[in-house]
Amino acid sequence: MRKFAERLKELRTERGLSMDELGKALKLSSGTISNWENYKHDIKGDQLIIVARFFGCSTDYLLGEKDDY
């Protein structure tokens, strides 16, 4: 899930969002976002879909399977 963590942080920072702001937008805690970005927890399938929809990208992109949104 290293690629997911990298892509999540990249997308979040590109949009100028703090972990707290992203967490609120996704109805999650900033700790959850931090855990994902720091490789402490893997994202669950339903959460992955929510993140992809929020950023307007594919789950394959988030997981590093594709390099385009």
Side-chain angles (χ1 to χ4, degrees):
M1 287 293 184
R2 193 173 229 16
K3 196 64 165 179
F4 168 74
E6 293 168 1
R7 295 235 164 129
L8 176 63
K9 185 173 184 177
E10 176 184 304
L11 289 167
R12 180 180 61 75
T13 56
E14 281 177 0
R15 285 161 178 77
L17 297 169
S18 68
M19 288 183 190
D20 189 52
E21 291 169 328
L22 179 57
K24 286 179 183 175
L26 299 177
K27 297 185 171 119
L28 299 166
S29 71
S30 59
T32 297
I33 306 302
S34 176
N35 285 337
W36 289 342
E37 287 188 9
N38 292 297
Y39 324 110
K40 293 184 179 178
H41 291 116
D42 290 337
I43 190 169
K44 296 176 183 170
D46 57 335
Q47 294 169 326
L48 180 65
I49 293 168
I50 291 168
V51 172
R53 286 182 181 156
F54 178 81
F55 286 114
C57 64
S58 70
T59 55
D60 283 344
Y61 174 78
L62 286 172
L63 295 173
E65 297 296 319
K66 292 171 61 178
D67 287 329
D68 58 323
Y69 283 51

